[in-house]
Amino acid sequence: NCLKGLRVLVAEDGDINREIMEALLDGMGAVCIPAVNGREALDIWRARHEDIDLILMDVQMPVMDGYTATREIRAGGLPGAVETPIIAMTAHAMSGDREKSLEAGMNDHITKPIDPRTLRRKLCAWLARTAA
């Protein structure tokens, strides 16, 4: 299992969506570190960046959106700030969304509702890329 012990920061303002992500990740053997908005995700990153292997970032959140949080993480200069994979989570599969995520410094994009097989495939692929 490529995800065993993986530590994932999940920034998601919807309680139900966040609980679903926690259950999915837990079922895959990963550890979920929840955040309720981009500001909290940024604070957790700053405090615990060495404990975070990957970030799942909702793009639309109150207080601070995922694009801003990602730009702040990437520009912050902490170890892993550039290398840690950040995957955007969005309810919209509109053209331009992927580009907007990539421009903000995200590595990939997954649409909601999250398909568990797609999530596992993307997480494993990014881990393999990071390890290489």
Side-chain angles (χ1 to χ4, degrees):
N1 178 1
C2 74
L3 303 180
K4 185 100 177 99
L6 177 74
R7 297 158 306 183
V8 183
L9 174 57
V10 176
E12 166 62 72
D13 63 304
D15 293 342
I16 292 167
N17 285 341
R18 200 171 50 253
E19 285 169 23
I20 290 169
M21 288 305 299
E22 286 190 54
L24 281 176
L25 290 167
D26 188 54
M28 294 175 188
V31 177
C32 179
I33 304 164
V36 300
N37 59 52
R39 166 60 56 204
E40 187 174 74
L42 185 57
D43 291 344
I44 291 170
W45 168 258
R46 286 176 174 155
R48 300 180 56 189
H49 56 275
E50 66 283 341
D51 297 332
I52 296 167
D53 299 310
L54 189 139
I55 301 170
L56 288 168
M57 184 77 75
D58 188 17
V59 295
Q60 291 184 302
M61 295 180 285
V63 184
M64 180 186 285
D65 67 31
Y67 301 118
T68 304
T70 297
R71 282 192 286 270
E72 295 271 335
I73 287 169
R74 293 299 192 217
L78 290 169
V82 177
E83 304 82 9
T84 301
I86 302 179
I87 300 175
M89 296 187 295
T90 172
H92 308 286
M94 312 288 251
S95 74
D97 277 359
R98 182 176 172 78
E99 291 72 20
K100 190 173 178 186
S101 300
L102 297 175
E103 279 168 20
M106 296 174 180
N107 301 94
D108 206 343
H109 183 107
I110 190 167
T111 53
K112 299 183 209 172
I114 305 290
D115 172 60
R117 287 180 309 275
T118 304
L119 177 65
R120 177 185 290 276
R121 193 175 64 245
K122 283 190 186 266
L123 294 180
C124 287
W126 279 106
L127 286 182
R129 230 176 278 187
T130 308

